[in-house]
Amino acid sequence: NISISAPRLGVHNNSIYGIDLLLKMVIADFFGKVNLPDGTMERFMNQIVCHIFLLTLSMVNAIYLIFIEFLGKGNLQKNFLQQLALGGALMQMGSCGNSIHRYNIEDEYNFVIANAGAFFGLASGCFNNIAVGVILFHNCEKRKLKWGIFSTALILLSIFLLFMEMTTFADTGFFYFRVLNMQNVPFAGFCFWYTSRALSKGTVSIDESIISKESLIGVYNVMAYFLFIMFFVNMSGYTIFIYISGGLTFGCVNVATHYMDQMTGLYDKPAPVGESAPLLV
């Protein structure tokens, strides 16, 4: 007599084969944390997946700015702040490309690739933070000059941190890069909140034919509160949240600079009523 029985789950080394099989099916741990052990496949896959999210989100904004605002509408040529936003998105794509390559070849701390990625990442932060940071000087005398000083200081700080990272890389890794990079999300959130406050007080304004004042205040508040919330969520250490919030920041900067470049009160020479004019004139 031949009997056929269903396969049973066996036990090996105090684990169940069926559970082992399910665990082996997990290629990438989406909810792994940033402190996953160095040199492990779990860390490599987690970082690759999360960087792909960041790469995709920055690429979407770059594509929109190039194909819609530049080639389609022809607005990008007149909107200096969105040109900066495009620079930020492109630099982030370069940074992500280097990071994905590092993890893909299982060489996270490759000196050349790692620091090239840090360069692109810091450059991306400079572009974005200079763009949204213009609002900080909207009610000041010589605000163009002060914005220029702020921009120069941020660039010099980024160069200094990159130098420190490269000269201490064997001991500190990405510490100096992260010191500044981690501030991108809350800084953008603060600038958006400050813009909504300036609109409410009337120290900056926008033509109602573009968007109503109340609607624009709501837009900036929503973006500000979203980024503040994501900043605190990022403290959980889950890599996926950190990189998704970083990617969505590019979308917020894109929207913010679209309207900021059309506001009056940011610069000594306001834009003509009902017409968009470049900020740098």
Side-chain angles (χ1 to χ4, degrees):
N1 296 326
I2 300 176
S3 61
I4 301 176
S5 59
R8 293 180 298 172
L9 297 176
V11 177
H12 178 66
N13 292 333
N14 296 324
S15 61
I16 300 176
Y17 285 139
I19 295 177
D20 282 348
L21 179 61
L22 291 175
L23 292 175
K24 289 177 181 178
M25 291 171 63
V26 177
I27 297 175
D29 182 3
F30 281 83
F31 294 99
K33 292 193 174 184
V34 292
N35 60 353
L36 288 172
D38 287 343
T40 62
M41 187 57 62
E42 183 183 14
R43 179 176 176 84
F44 293 149
M45 292 304 301
N46 174 261
Q47 288 286 339
I48 288 174
V49 168
C50 293
H51 274 91
I52 287 174
F53 276 111
L54 179 55
L55 172 65
T56 302
L57 291 168
S58 57
M59 185 184 297
V60 166
N61 284 281
I63 290 173
Y64 169 81
L65 288 168
I66 293 171
F67 286 94
I68 304 301
E69 292 297 331
F70 176 60
L71 297 176
K73 298 180 179 180
N75 289 338
L76 190 63
Q77 301 89 317
K78 300 178 290 183
N79 191 325
F80 180 66
L81 295 184
Q82 285 215 304
Q83 293 172 22
L84 292 175
L86 174 60
L90 292 174
M91 291 298 102
Q92 186 59 60
M93 290 167 59
S95 179
C96 287
N98 280 276
S99 295
I100 290 170
H101 183 54
R102 284 188 293 116
Y103 293 110
N104 199 37
I105 63 174
E106 301 181 32
D107 190 4
E108 180 176 356
Y109 296 99
N110 181 290
F111 181 84
V112 175
I113 304 173
N115 287 289
F119 166 80
F120 284 117
L122 289 170
S124 174
C126 284
F127 277 112
N128 278 356
N129 293 331
I130 289 171
V132 299
V134 66
I135 190 63
L136 301 179
F137 311 99
H138 77 278
N139 206 24
C140 302
E141 294 183 1
K142 299 181 178 179
R143 43 189 178 260
K144 285 184 183 179
L145 175 62
K146 292 179 180 179
W147 184 44
I149 294 172
F150 164 79
S151 303
T152 302
L154 181 59
I155 293 170
L156 291 176
L157 175 60
S158 298
I159 293 172
F160 170 74
L161 291 174
L162 182 62
F163 170 78
M164 290 299 298
E165 176 172 312
M166 294 177 67
T167 54
T168 64
F169 189 69
D171 298 319
T172 61
F174 296 98
F175 171 77
Y176 288 101
F177 164 74
R178 289 171 179 152
V179 164
L180 188 57
N181 188 66
M182 290 173 60
Q183 313 310 317
N184 291 340
V185 171
F187 180 76
F190 173 78
C191 289
F192 299 154
W193 170 82
Y194 193 61
T195 305
S196 71
R197 182 172 175 269
L199 286 164
S200 298
K201 293 176 64 177
T203 49
V204 297
S205 61
I206 193 167
D207 192 332
E208 292 279 335
S209 65
I210 299 172
I211 187 174
S212 70
K213 174 182 173 180
E214 291 74 17
S215 296
L216 192 55
I217 291 172
V219 168
Y220 280 100
N221 276 330
V222 167
M223 294 192 297
Y225 295 143
F226 168 75
L227 292 182
F228 287 146
I229 291 171
M230 290 308 301
F231 174 68
F232 288 108
V233 170
N234 291 344
M235 292 181 180
S236 66
Y238 288 100
T239 319
I240 192 74
F241 297 137
I242 294 171
Y243 285 95
I244 287 180
S245 67
L248 291 175
T249 301
F250 289 93
C252 294
V253 171
N254 190 350
V255 173
T257 53
H258 171 76
Y259 291 113
M260 290 171 77
D261 201 77
Q262 301 179 79
M263 292 179 185
T264 61
L266 281 178
Y267 282 84
D268 295 326
K269 184 178 179 181
V273 176
E275 180 181 342
S276 174
L279 286 176
L280 296 185
V281 283

